[in-house]
Amino acid sequence: MRLVLVGPPGAGKGTQAQFLAAHYSIPHISTGDIFRANLKAGTPLGVQAQSFMDRGELVADSVTNEMVKDRLTHDDVANGFILDGFPRNVAQAEVLRAILAEKDTPLNAVLEFSLANEEIVTRLSARRTCKDCFQPSVGVDKCPSCGGDVYQREDDKAEVITRRLEVYQDQTAPIISFYRNEGLLITVSALGKVEDITALAISALNRVAQ
Ligand code: ADP
Ligand code: ZN
């Protein structure tokens, strides 16, 4: 299963990606997590990405595309992958299509999680993130997954959330029609219980892709 997840910030892409990755036994590739891991390790890539991330802007396509291209050469993607946070604009979607066409392994589906703006702001303001494994959580001091300390991401602060929503509308939302035209789009509501959304997503995916 080669899958892309799309949806506004806070739609729960990361959470759903983890469950879907476990279900299909394929890696969850989050460009945001890769950037955050690089930031934490102080790599040149992390340093380059930080100011864009903190402002809620997209990191340059040249940087992001190279990073994803490299990630997709790893052996663990042989049976598929879940891309979470990439592509984030039409240019990136075209690059991804080209990378996959070269290997003759096109996408099977693109799963869109839809969510209203008010709900996005509420969710993101309450969200905390694990310093160690980047797992999001709400209302706890320690990460439910690994016990690490949690913090509020710079880009989950109110001023930056507004900008991220604009960036999503202007730059990312156009990939939804791009993928609809390719016949790949599946839309699922991001409202409801996590496990119900996962179940809906899996049944929709099983209908279109094997
Ligand atoms: P979200 O909670 O919005 O899904 P992510 O963790 O996916 O957040 O991304 C956080 C930040 O990382 C983005 O705001 C952006 O600065 C950077 N980033 C992640 N993926 C991409 C991408 N595909 N292209 C450019 N920048 C990206
Ligand atoms: Zn953790």
Side-chain angles (χ1 to χ4, degrees):
M1 172 73 72
R2 288 175 298 275
L3 183 61
V4 161
L5 304 188
V6 195
K13 296 185 298 291
T15 306
Q16 292 301 329
Q18 284 180 22
F19 289 110
L20 295 170
H23 180 83
Y24 291 109
S25 303
I26 49 178
H28 166 205
I29 302 176
S30 156
T31 44
D33 285 354
I34 300 176
F35 283 132
R36 278 184 288 279
N38 276 278
L39 204 72
K40 195 178 164 197
T43 70
L45 178 66
V47 171
Q48 220 174 355
Q50 177 160 30
S51 66
F52 295 97
M53 295 179 77
D54 286 352
R55 286 179 289 127
E57 304 291 339
L58 298 188
V59 177
D61 283 353
S62 53
V63 173
T64 309
N65 290 337
E66 273 314 302
M67 183 175 92
V68 171
K69 197 169 181 177
D70 174 74
R71 181 64 185 83
L72 292 177
T73 64
H74 296 195
D75 291 341
D76 65 348
V77 302
N79 293 321
F81 52 77
I82 298 176
L83 273 173
D84 159 16
F86 184 93
R88 243 181 170 87
N89 60 33
V90 171
Q92 292 182 3
E94 280 165 351
V95 166
L96 178 63
R97 184 169 57 186
I99 295 172
L100 298 178
E102 207 169 291
K103 301 198 270 190
D104 208 16
T105 53
L107 288 176
N108 298 109
V110 173
L111 198 54
E112 179 203 1
F113 295 102
S114 63
L115 192 67
N117 273 2
E118 309 78 72
E119 178 69 17
I120 297 172
V121 176
T122 311
R123 286 190 186 188
L124 291 181
S125 319
R127 179 165 80 176
R128 298 296 178 269
T129 299
C130 176
K131 284 199 165 81
D132 295 326
C133 75
F134 310 117
Q135 163 111 345
S137 58
V138 174
V140 290
D141 292 336
K142 299 283 178 190
C143 170
S145 171
C146 78
D149 288 328
V150 300
Y151 75 112
Q152 181 173 40
R153 276 167 49 176
E154 209 45 53
D155 60 347
D156 280 347
K157 298 187 174 158
E159 322 78 80
V160 187
I161 292 174
T162 313
R163 180 62 192 145
R164 284 164 74 202
L165 287 178
E166 283 171 7
V167 169
Y168 182 78
Q169 280 316 325
D170 297 349
Q171 304 183 48
T172 307
I175 73 173
I176 292 170
S177 11
F178 175 94
Y179 284 127
R180 188 180 292 117
N181 290 336
E182 301 236 305
L184 291 171
L185 192 74
I186 298 172
T187 303
V188 170
S189 165
L191 273 185
K193 286 203 293 193
V194 169
E195 55 271 32
D196 292 346
I197 298 170
T198 310
L200 272 176
I202 290 172
S203 66
L205 286 170
N206 289 346
R207 256 177 273 133
V208 299
Q210 54 297 94

